[in-house]
Structures are given as C-alpha cells and as structure tokens.
Amino acid sequence: MNAYRIQGFRGGIADDPFQGVREAFRFGYGLNIRGEENTLKCNQRLKEDLGSDTVITDLILFYVPASNGNLYGFGDTGKIYRKAGGASAWELVYTDSNGKITGAAEYTNNDGSDNYIPYLYWATETKVSRIKLSGTWPTDVEHDWQTLDGDPAWHTMSEALGVLLICDSKDLAMVDFEGGFNRDAIDLPRSHRNKCLLGLDQLVVFGSTKGDKVEEGWLWTWDKIQPSWIQRRMVAERGINALLQGEFLMIQAGVRGGLYFWDTSNLLRIKKLPGEFGWVNPGGVTIMGGLPLLGVNGSDKCGIYSYGRLNKNEPYALNLEYIPSHGKMENVLIGALTMYEDKIYCSWKDGTTFGTDVIDPDNKAEAHYEGLVFDGGESFTQKGFRHIKLVTKPLPKDCTIEVFYKVNQQAEWQLATMQDGSELFDQEGRSKAIFTIETGGDEYDPGTGEEYELAMNLHPNGNDTPEVISATTYFEPLGVL
C-alpha cells in the first residue's frame, strides 16, 4: 500500500493545479497558514462593524486613519463617514454635493497664518476640498477649495517627497508644505490617466492607464526636482491599478490578476490571482504586520488576499485570508482596505447593500482547503484510493472537519465518510480520524482512477479551531488499464 501525504501548508495557493512551491495547495479560503506551527487551521472571521449596516450607504473607496485618532471613509456617492475609535459606531459627517470621492488623504501644511496643522483632503471629479482635522463638520469644510483638470474615475492621493500629490488625469497636482497648490506639477503624454501613486525613498512611483480597451499600463518615477518624469516602464496589461510597498514594491496591473515586482529597473510578473479575472482598487491595499493585503474584485474568488512572507525562510505565498461578512466570493465589490487600531477594515458592496467589516477577535472563520492534483508521477497508472487518515491537534469541543475527494478531476467533490458512517470528524479530544473512499472514479470499482484530489472543510466553534497536522491517503497501483 502506498501513501500520499499532505503535511505543511505554508506554500499558499499555487499557479498550477498539479504543482507549486513546496507545501502549496490548489485553492483555499479562511485559512491561517502562517501560524507559529506549520498546521492547517481557521483564520479569524470578518464581521460588520458598529453602525455600518445602517449608516454606510455607498461604497467606501478610501479610508484615512487620521492622526487625531479617528478613521474616515470616503464613498462613491460623495459621503464621508467617521469612526471615533474602535468602540464607536460609524457616523455620517458630510455629503459632498459634487458626488463620487475619488481620492483622499491627510496632509499637514501651513494654514495661511504660519500654523502648520493637519488637514483632511479629498477630491471629486474636478474639485479638491479639505477640512482641518480640528475643524467642525460641516461648518469648517472648505468646499471646492481648488479646481482640478478633471477625471471621473480616480484622484488617488498620497504624501510623497514631502508634499501631497494627487492623480489628475494626465497630470499630478500638488499641495506643498506652505499650503500652495500646483495643478500641473508634472504632465504625462496625452491619453495617459494617472490612477495610483506611492512614495518610494527619494522618488514617487505612479501608475497610469490608457483606457479600458488598451492593453498598456505605465509605471513612472519623479523626484520633484526634475521638470518632468525620470523613468517610465510599460506593462502589457490594462492599466496599473494599485501600488503597495512591503518587502518589495508590488504592483497589481490589468484585469486578469497580474502581480508584478519592479525595482525601477527590473520588471517581473511574479504571480497571478486565482480566477480568469481579478483586479484591485487603488485604495484596496494595505500592510498587516508586514504582510501585504489586496482586496480583489471581478473574480469568482473575490476576497482579501495576502502575498508575501513573515520571515526569510518561508516562501512567498498567496493566501485568501478573509471573505467579507456577506460570505460571497462572486458578484461583490471590495472598495478599500486599511489598518486601524491594529485591525483590518474592509469596505464592500453586495448588490444594493454596503458595509464596512472588521476583524472579529472572538470568532474564527469557516475555512476550506483544496490540495493539488496528485498522480504519483504516473498519470497513466490506475490507482485504487481506499482510506484517508487525518492527524490533528486534539479536537476542541464542537469543532468538526469534513473530508472530500475527487478522482480524475470530477466536476463535483465526493464526501468521504468515517468507518462508522459519520460524515464529520467531531470527537472532542481525539487527534486521529480514518475516512473511507467508497464512491468516485470507475462506477464498477469505486475509488479508482489515475488522478486524485483531497479537500477539507474546517468548522470552528467560537474562537476554537480544528488544527490539521497531516492528511494521508492510502492507495494501491492497479495497472495501466
């Protein structure tokens, strides 16, 4: 009897159904693969934040965790929301009559009286507005403070090179430390539209698009000293959507889930997000404890992905860390991500419903794992798959594990049962379970075939989670016919 053992899970989601880096798997969600021990267990779940179910009525495209301790959200119909600390509920503080807010940031500058104070800035299609962080809503809002060249899609903002830079069609607009405004700080060639930007040491890196039907995205650099851009690099994707600085500069480009590395010299496509399509909003990225996170849209596997590693001895791994509280991975939108008070916040749209989610520290998420396709290196040899043995940490009370399998890449997963006929491993305190394979494959000889896949559903209870150490499938070669 031969054995196919799955042990170790740090490799994350593979690019290929048959192979990946060591300990990779085909797909999964809600899994914690970066714990202190290399076991498979449930991640924390997301829950709707206080007040978001009734107060938030549009899709937040940008969060700003402000230096006054508040978290602000800027929506796609012009609404501005505030959360005054983690225990506070969301509140609507302002509605911009110009509509969709396409960029927002905090920046400190001269108020005109030699007082250097922090402001909240935000942009709509053709206007920039602001308010002092110490100001009163809506009384102190400086509505239509400045005029932009105009872009209906994005005016992403970021502090870089000591100034506040604003994407504005083919230009970058700038607010300087003295409060001065320059609408045309830098110009790009016509037909380019700036979408995202990021300060990188002595440079600002920004990304542009040439429209929804042009397979060209462009990366640019500038140092605020030169009269024009310094470097540019074309990416053969439908625009640059988001930039994120973790262990390296990561770029999400196009609508097919492309992730890229660029060090202003070498450009490398490093990963593809699962599914045929997938893209990230400019505000849909953040860093959690050194780990880059991306809010993925446009896929049948939407959610909050991580890509990276937590120490140098681990592989760079892609993992679908969180599904928003609505529980859907398709036909939903993720607007923005941020970290606030050491917790991740995520905005979403589901049909006509909107919300903001936050990590639930008291409850784990339902988790799903799918292993790679296994053929034992002999795709031509028929095999008889008979038993599956799980080795786990002692199972906590009311936690359960389901086991599934496929033979020859069937359309549907087959449910494995335990020797006593039970469909769940639910025996509190036990650390071993044996499942049998009685269906699938050849109808005259169940459990037989050339290729095999294993899947598991992990069902937590409150903050307790099942924890799988290994899953071993026992099989025997049956010949080539």
Side-chain angles (χ1 to χ4, degrees), residues 243-321:
L243 304 170
L244 184 61
Q245 179 66 51
E247 190 174 342
F248 56 86
L249 174 61
M250 184 162 61
I251 297 143
Q252 198 285 299
V255 297
R256 296 182 181 87
L259 297 181
Y260 289 80
F261 161 89
W262 190 49
D263 61 3
T264 71
S265 176
N266 301 294
L267 179 70
L268 177 66
R269 197 173 198 265
I270 54 176
K271 197 73 176 176
K272 180 187 178 302
L273 296 166
E276 183 179 358
F277 297 99
W279 46 268
V280 178
N281 280 329
V285 293
T286 192
I287 300 287
M288 180 180 68
L291 193 64
L293 299 181
L294 307 98
V296 175
N297 297 287
S299 169
D300 59 354
K301 296 179 175 65
C302 295
I304 302 176
Y305 286 80
S306 65
Y307 181 71
R309 60 184 183 179
L310 294 181
N311 65 66
K312 67 180 183 64
N313 295 321
E314 294 180 358
Y316 291 103
L318 181 72
N319 188 42
L320 180 43
E321 303 275 345

Side-chain angles (χ1 to χ4, degrees), residues 185-204:
I186 184 171
D187 288 337
L188 298 184
R190 293 188 181 276
S191 79
H192 289 273
R193 295 168 62 194
N194 285 318
K195 188 171 183 179
C196 54
L197 55 85
L198 180 71
L200 184 67
D201 299 325
Q202 288 78 40
L203 296 171
V204 59

Side-chain angles (χ1 to χ4, degrees), residues 138-156:
T139 307
D140 295 330
V141 171
E142 298 178 51
H143 190 253
D144 295 352
W145 174 69
Q146 296 289 345
T147 299
L148 296 167
D149 289 332
D151 191 306
W154 299 104
H155 290 295
T156 307

Side-chain angles (χ1 to χ4, degrees), residues 95-300:
T95 300
D96 193 312
S97 59
N98 293 319
K100 181 180 179 181
I101 298 175
T102 53
E106 178 184 341
Y107 180 62
T108 295
N109 55 261
N110 193 332
D111 69 351
S113 302
D114 290 331
N115 298 312
Y116 294 86
I117 60 174
Y119 285 82
L120 274 181
Y121 286 86
W122 65 92
T124 54
E125 183 172 352
T126 60
K127 302 294 182 180
V128 176
S129 299
R130 69 178 187 174
I131 186 174
K132 296 175 182 177
L133 270 187
S134 59
T136 301
W137 298 85
T139 307
D140 295 330
V141 171
E142 298 178 51
H143 190 253
D144 295 352
W145 174 69
Q146 296 289 345
T147 299
L148 296 167
D149 289 332
D151 191 306
W154 299 104
H155 290 295
T156 307
M157 303 180 183
S158 181
E159 183 177 347
L161 308 175
V163 296
L164 179 66
L165 294 172
I166 306 170
C167 293
D168 184 23
S169 190
K170 69 180 183 63
D171 304 320
L172 287 184
M174 180 174 72
V175 181
D176 65 30
F177 193 53
E178 295 303 323
F181 180 75
N182 182 350
R183 187 168 62 188
D184 301 313
I186 184 171
D187 288 337
L188 298 184
R190 293 188 181 276
S191 79
H192 289 273
R193 295 168 62 194
N194 285 318
K195 188 171 183 179
C196 54
L197 55 85
L198 180 71
L200 184 67
D201 299 325
Q202 288 78 40
L203 296 171
V204 59
V205 178
F206 49 105
S208 68
T209 176
K210 295 188 76 174
D212 294 338
K213 297 182 180 180
V214 180
E215 296 289 329
E216 287 185 27
W218 288 83
L219 292 162
W220 313 77
T221 65
W222 185 49
D223 64 0
K224 202 182 66 170
I225 300 172
Q226 304 300 321
S228 185
W229 50 269
I230 300 172
Q231 297 169 285
R232 69 173 183 172
R233 183 68 182 265
M234 195 270 281
V235 181
E237 300 268 11
R238 203 177 303 172
I240 308 298
N241 297 320
L243 304 170
L244 184 61
Q245 179 66 51
E247 190 174 342
F248 56 86
L249 174 61
M250 184 162 61
I251 297 143
Q252 198 285 299
V255 297
R256 296 182 181 87
L259 297 181
Y260 289 80
F261 161 89
W262 190 49
D263 61 3
T264 71
S265 176
N266 301 294
L267 179 70
L268 177 66
R269 197 173 198 265
I270 54 176
K271 197 73 176 176
K272 180 187 178 302
L273 296 166
E276 183 179 358
F277 297 99
W279 46 268
V280 178
N281 280 329
V285 293
T286 192
I287 300 287
M288 180 180 68
L291 193 64
L293 299 181
L294 307 98
V296 175
N297 297 287
S299 169
D300 59 354

